[in-house]
Amino acid sequence: MLPKLFFGYFAFAIIVLSLLVITRRNPVHSVMWMLLLFFQIASMYLFLNAEFIAAIQVIVYAGAILVLFLFVVLLLNLREELLTNRFISAWPVGLVFAGAIFAGAVSAVAAFVPNFSGQYTVDVINRETHTKALGQALYTDFLFPFEIASLILLIAIIGAIVLAKKRMRS
Amino acid sequence: MPLVMPDLKPITPEIVMTCLALFILVADVFIKRKETLALLSIIGMAAAAFTFALPGALNTTFGGMFISDGYSMFFKIVFALNVILTILISVKYLAVERVNFGEYYALLLFSTLGMMIMASAGDLIVLYLGLELMALSTYILAGFIRYDMKSNEAALKYFLLGSFASAFLLYGISLAYGLTGTTNLDRIAMTISEKGLAGKPALTLSMIMIAVAFSFKIAAVPFHMWAPDAYEGAPTSVTAFMSVGPKAAGFAVIGRVFLMAFPMVRAEWVAVFIPIAIMTMAVGNIVALSQTNIKRMLAYSSIAHAGYALLGIIAGTADGLASMMNYMLIYAFMNMGAFAVIIMLRSEGFKGDAISDYEGLSKTHPLAAALMLVFMFSLTGIPPTAGFMGKFYIFMAAINAGYTWLVIIAVIFSAISAYFYLRIVMNMYMKDPKETVTLTTSPSMGLALAITTVAVLAIGVLPAKVIYLARVAFP
């Protein structure tokens, strides 16, 4: 019962906070609600015994990405932003589509039966700790995807530099 | 859990490509003449292509995550051709646009590396990361002319809708993983048949989400919204690159994922792809009729071609796949050729991308007009050009698989497409020039045009060799 209650609380809080993020007129408020949202998500991960991902959620998302968001908001003209609508006029269409996809997903997932158990059961994770298990998988079985991910990060750095370069004088 | 050194022979081309791209990135600091970088990239790419044929190259490695087989090899040849031709047509163009930065070549190579990884992916995670590597590099390239609003718009739209597609792909992958407990394509198929998962709604949803994500990548209707704006705004050389490379990579993964991981739910994914193919051919060909910008027109044309190529996937036979692969190769040549001519028309202070700019081109520049004629004929599918052979084999494979009615629809739309392709030809040959168009030519551009023209005509006259290559590649 208690786990269900906790899960229910986090799930509800995440939904409410997400709605607050997208409906606020002031971008600074949106970002602040998002900060709270990220902490809720991190708690959810913690609750699911994934402490490493919870830490990453706080450090990377709440720490780095949110600061980046705030930088972007600093570059905006807040006074002008406050006068514009948060939603484009076609939002009801989007809502219908989103609702349809949601209904489809719910009906599909309702018939979802977990019918396998892999190498990493809850016992193994509890014994080895989540961080160790993740690290081992990442550096052995998933070494190849890990290396590709490093290239993707490199591309991001190159991209940022290229797009901020001075215009060429011929 | 000790780390066993994986067999690196199958992955040699990717390793060479990574080193090459990093080398170009560093060399950019020391080499002031960017043409040298272009030359180095082409030589390096050719060297990487040479390693395709090394002994032991055809194998599976990293525990089934990386598959190097004839199928991936064929696509890697298409990607290599694509990047070499793109570099050849970019050299002068970048100078005209004043964005002659060395990173351009490095990003092209990284994007190609992503495509190569996609074509060889035997695991959904590798596939996703390859796709991101390809897409991220292409987003940056699309926005490469930073001071141009249109280029910015292209990059942003491409980026936003691309991330949207990635989200769909990840949802699909997570559902497939939740159902089968693995991301390995072979094992997904095995689990589906062992546990009798075929027909389960969750599996269907997963398959649909993956299909939607890939449809974004190949710009199939109704997921094509980004394509016209991205193609129009991006630098023309990048448009050429992304109309061939990411599309071919998208088809490579569609063929791989749906035939390898989801053969048990074939009836369902065929039911998803048939309406997509019909809508793609319809919207692509009909909307192209009203375009006034040639890059936009070719964007819709490229949407339509994705529709034809989907017929090969729908057929699902070895013949269908081989004809789809063959189509991608032919499309690479004819589209690159058409874009090469468009780039030639761009000169200092003259955009040259309106269809009316082609009026009377045969009088002022007869050779360029003749080349454009060949490419337009090929895109329409008129013999003796390669485009005809490509369509012919695709349609034949679909008929043999029992989709005659679909082929009839495709032929009707293909006939409609003649109007907008041949309108360019008519503009060039039957109208008088309004203003004098100066061509920006360079030796590398000449080489690119020579390669594409010869290839389009040679494959059109003697298609057997290419067909044979694709046929052996896909057993």
Side-chain angles (χ1 to χ4, degrees):
Chain A
M1 188 57 206
L2 204 59
K4 274 193 182 154
L5 213 65
F6 266 105
F7 183 84
Y9 162 70
F10 286 129
F12 181 73
I14 286 171
I15 293 170
V16 171
L17 286 170
S18 318
L19 283 176
L20 282 171
V21 170
I22 57 166
T23 50
R24 292 308 90 193
R25 211 171 257 266
N26 190 329
V28 180
H29 294 177
S30 284
V31 174
M32 287 303 146
W33 284 120
M34 196 184 256
L35 180 64
L36 210 54
L37 170 70
F38 284 164
F39 278 111
Q40 298 288 339
I41 296 175
S43 321
M44 178 82 113
Y45 287 142
L46 213 50
F47 169 73
L48 292 171
N49 274 340
E51 72 270 3
F52 182 72
I53 301 198
I56 291 288
Q57 173 77 20
V58 171
I59 296 169
V60 176
Y61 282 82
I65 292 182
L66 221 74
V67 173
L68 202 70
F69 274 16
L70 277 176
F71 272 124
V72 175
V73 171
L74 275 179
L75 298 175
L76 296 174
N77 185 348
L78 262 189
R79 246 167 235 147
E80 239 171 66
E81 275 303 306
L82 285 173
L83 297 174
T84 52
N85 276 329
R86 278 302 90 187
F87 294 102
I88 55 167
S89 56
W91 71 268
V93 184
L95 190 65
V96 170
F97 269 100
I101 293 174
F102 180 68
V106 167
S107 65
V109 173
F112 192 90
V113 200
N115 49 9
F116 69 91
S117 89
Q119 189 185 347
Y120 293 101
T121 54
V122 177
D123 285 341
V124 176
I125 299 281
N126 277 340
R127 200 170 54 239
E128 298 229 334
T129 74
H130 178 244
T131 314
K132 191 180 167 195
L134 197 70
Q136 268 185 345
L138 213 52
Y139 286 99
T140 53
D141 296 346
F142 291 90
L143 184 66
F144 181 52
F146 187 78
E147 293 296 333
I148 308 173
S150 70
L151 281 180
I152 294 179
L153 293 181
L154 177 68
I155 296 289
I157 301 171
I158 301 173
I161 292 169
V162 165
L163 295 180
K165 256 192 178 177
K166 267 194 190 156
R167 186 174 172 171
M168 236 186 199
R169 269 177 260 116
S170 83
Chain B
M1 210 188 296
L3 174 65
V4 187
M5 187 65 186
D7 177 15
L8 291 181
K9 271 188 216 113
I11 204 171
T12 314
E14 281 75 11
I15 296 176
V16 174
M17 277 294 282
T18 315
C19 296
L20 171 68
L22 293 174
F23 171 73
I24 297 288
L25 201 60
V26 175
D28 174 40
V29 181
F30 305 105
I31 297 176
K32 284 283 158 286
R33 272 176 54 87
K34 302 303 171 201
E35 289 81 357
T36 321
L37 282 181
L39 184 69
L40 285 174
S41 309
I42 291 175
I43 293 171
M45 186 64 240
F50 191 70
T51 61
F52 290 171
L54 285 186
L58 295 179
N59 208 345
T60 307
T61 183
F62 285 102
M65 281 189 178
F66 189 89
I67 307 168
S68 171
D69 54 3
Y71 180 73
S72 68
M73 219 48 97
F74 189 91
F75 275 104
K76 282 177 197 175
I77 293 171
V78 176
F79 303 148
L81 276 170
N82 180 34
V83 75
I84 288 176
L85 289 173
T86 307
I87 292 173
L88 284 177
I89 62 177
S90 325
V91 176
K92 196 71 184 276
Y93 175 74
L94 291 181
V96 172
E97 293 282 5
R98 296 192 191 162
V99 283
N100 207 350
F101 299 123
E103 287 89 349
Y104 177 86
Y105 301 107
L107 285 171
L108 280 181
L109 293 171
F110 273 123
S111 185
T112 306
L113 174 65
M115 295 171 203
M116 287 162 67
I117 291 171
M118 279 168 84
S120 276
D123 188 285
L124 287 172
I125 293 181
V126 173
L127 189 157
Y128 169 71
L129 287 169
L131 188 139
E132 283 300 303
L133 181 59
M134 168 194 85
L136 215 59
S137 320
T138 326
Y139 302 147
I140 301 164
L141 286 171
F144 214 75
I145 313 181
R146 204 170 52 84
Y147 55 85
D148 181 40
M149 279 307 272
K150 279 208 155 168
S151 180
N152 278 310
E153 183 195 341
L156 258 186
K157 276 193 178 154
Y158 194 21
F159 173 65
L160 286 176
L161 289 171
S163 338
F164 196 55
S166 294
F168 269 102
L169 182 61
L170 288 176
Y171 272 128
I173 292 177
S174 64
L175 273 174
Y177 178 70
L179 277 171
T180 59
T182 175
T183 47
N184 185 290
L185 297 179
D186 256 343
R187 262 176 270 154
I188 288 178
M190 257 155 56
T191 319
I192 291 176
S193 63
E194 269 171 24
K195 304 248 162 113
L197 292 173
K200 284 253 161 64
L203 187 69
T204 311
L205 186 70
S206 153
M207 181 274 292
I208 290 176
M209 292 224 175
I210 293 176
V212 165
F214 292 159
S215 302
F216 262 106
K217 285 293 156 211
I218 59 167
V221 181
F223 313 107
H224 67 292
M225 298 299 183
W226 57 274
D229 291 325
Y231 282 25
E232 187 191 348
T236 314
S237 56
V238 176
T239 311
F241 178 75
M242 67 193 204
S243 67
V244 176
K247 193 172 291 257
F251 274 103
V253 291
I254 289 182
R256 179 83 78 188
V257 169
F258 286 93
L259 291 167
M260 215 171 133
F262 294 133
M264 297 294 290
V265 284
R266 182 156 186 275
E268 280 150 18
W269 59 256
V270 166
V272 171
F273 277 124
I274 285 182
I276 289 183
I278 295 175
M279 277 191 290
T280 306
M281 289 185 286
V283 172
N285 283 319
I286 291 170
V287 182
L289 296 177
S290 62
Q291 300 306 318
T292 52
N293 180 301
I294 191 159
K295 278 163 82 178
R296 242 184 136 73
M297 189 207 90
L298 282 179
Y300 281 105
S301 131
S302 116
I303 292 171
H305 282 282
Y308 305 135
L310 267 179
L311 295 189
I313 301 269
I314 291 169
T317 51
D319 260 1
L321 262 280
S323 61
M324 179 271 286
M325 290 151 74
N326 175 39
Y327 199 83
M328 283 296 123
L329 180 70
I330 290 171
Y331 182 70
F333 283 123
M334 59 194 187
N335 216 40
M336 274 294 165
F339 274 107
V341 178
I342 296 174
I343 285 181
M344 280 212 296
L345 256 71
R346 170 83 169 102
S347 52
E348 206 77 47
F350 180 70
K351 273 238 167 235
D353 59 359
I355 288 179
S356 56
D357 290 338
Y358 288 79
E359 284 172 9
L361 197 68
S362 66
K363 307 219 169 44
T364 48
H365 303 285
L367 185 61
L371 291 175
M372 196 62 165
L373 173 93
V374 172
F375 299 128
M376 285 299 135
F377 272 20
S378 184
L379 283 166
T380 323
I382 297 174
T385 54
F388 169 74
M389 283 303 160
K391 272 187 187 155
F392 177 76
Y393 282 106
I394 284 252
F395 291 167
M396 205 162 74
I399 288 175
N400 287 341
Y403 293 100
T404 314
W405 61 278
L406 204 56
V407 171
I408 294 173
I409 296 176
V411 170
I412 291 172
F413 284 123
S414 175
I416 293 176
S417 77
Y419 176 81
F420 59 85
Y421 289 129
L422 298 186
R423 188 169 54 153
I424 306 236
V425 174
M426 192 202 70
N427 267 350
M428 290 190 304
Y429 281 89
M430 294 172 195
K431 289 203 175 157
D432 286 322
K434 269 201 290 216
E435 49 189 325
T436 42
V437 177
T438 40
L439 289 189
T440 314
T441 51
S442 63
S444 66
M445 177 65 88
L447 183 60
L449 279 169
I451 295 172
T452 47
T453 318
V454 168
V456 163
L457 292 175
I459 299 176
V461 179
L462 304 159
K465 257 245 144 57
V466 180
I467 293 290
Y468 174 74
L469 209 66
R471 207 53 70 78
V472 271
F474 192 81

